Amino acid sequence: DQKKCVGCKICYQACPFDAISIGATGATSTRTIEHPTVVIDPEKCLLCGICVGTCLFDALDMLLDDKSIKDTGEILNFAGSFEFDETKCTFKDEEKQSLCKYCEEACPTDAIKCKIIGGGDNKKNTIEFEKRLCMYCKACEKPCPVDAIKVEKVFKGDIKLDQDKCQGCGVCIEICPSKALTFPRPKIGETLEKIAVDDNICVYCEACVNVCPVDAIIVERDEIR
């Protein structure tokens, strides 16, 4: 699914048969050219499914007897975790019984949908969670006012920005799947760094590294769950 692919190269790095090549991710992400971000060579691919298991963004799938191998339990998957405590989840306005939707609005992949269940005095604010869409970025955890959501990332690591090299082109911001990279908004007369990162929601996928034209970003992955 080219719309979901961010060109992070994780599948490319994981493929044991060199069957995957990466296209012009920067030009593709900015729609400068129409080109696949990832190209799989069918002559080299042995259908092992490793690329499917390592894709954080649900962009790759493989069917076995018309069923996704993601549903068979036969491939290795990342062990990111999402926990939701329904007993903590409350209405934004108890009197009006209105949904808060903070987590839903923060989720960059539409993995969360807020809804009301029950009726009368038994109405509850809760969520529907689509595991396949979640990349475990913690974006939903941060705005929750009652700490009802806990997320464990897939990768632990670090991201460093070289402000001297950065040209402020914004291509990294466009491609970042978790929206962790932003342009700071200075007040009049105030000088800020060219670009900022929210390390709390960065998933360390390296998509930004791959598109940066001046090598101003370094991502280090220290641990994989």
Side-chain angles (χ1 to χ4, degrees), residues 26-53:
T28 302
S29 68
T30 57
R31 296 178 177 82
T32 304
I33 61 170
E34 292 295 327
H35 190 278
T37 309
V38 166
V39 179
I40 300 176
D41 186 342
E43 297 297 323
K44 293 182 179 180
C45 177
L46 297 188
L47 302 176
C48 68
I50 288 175
C51 59
V52 176

Side-chain angles (χ1 to χ4, degrees), residues 101-209:
K101 287 195 173 184
Y102 291 130
C103 56
E104 178 181 325
E105 292 168 356
C107 179
T109 58
D110 295 324
I112 296 175
K113 296 296 179 186
C114 295
K115 66 175 186 175
I116 295 175
I117 58 173
D121 295 334
N122 296 318
K123 281 186 178 180
K124 288 183 179 179
N125 187 50
T126 189
I127 66 171
E128 287 183 348
F129 172 65
E130 180 58 57
K131 181 179 180 180
R132 182 172 288 189
L133 296 179
C134 181
M135 60 179 169
Y136 308 105
C137 66
K138 285 183 175 282
C140 59
E141 179 185 292
K142 187 176 179 181
C144 180
V146 292
D147 295 324
I149 297 175
K150 295 297 178 186
V151 178
E152 283 287 340
K153 291 185 185 182
V154 167
F155 294 115
K156 290 184 179 180
D158 188 30
I159 178 170
K160 299 174 182 176
L161 310 177
D162 190 327
Q163 300 291 341
D164 292 329
K165 286 184 178 180
C166 178
Q167 301 298 304
C169 67
V171 67
C172 59
I173 293 175
E174 291 186 38
I175 205 169
C176 179
S178 64
K179 310 303 179 188
L181 289 160
T182 56
F183 283 130
R185 295 183 178 275
K187 297 177 182 178
I188 295 176
E190 183 181 22
T191 301
L192 296 177
E193 294 179 333
K194 296 172 189 173
I195 197 164
V197 60
D198 186 342
D199 192 62
N200 187 57
I201 63 174
C202 176
V203 293
Y204 309 114
C205 69
E206 295 188 348
C208 57
V209 175

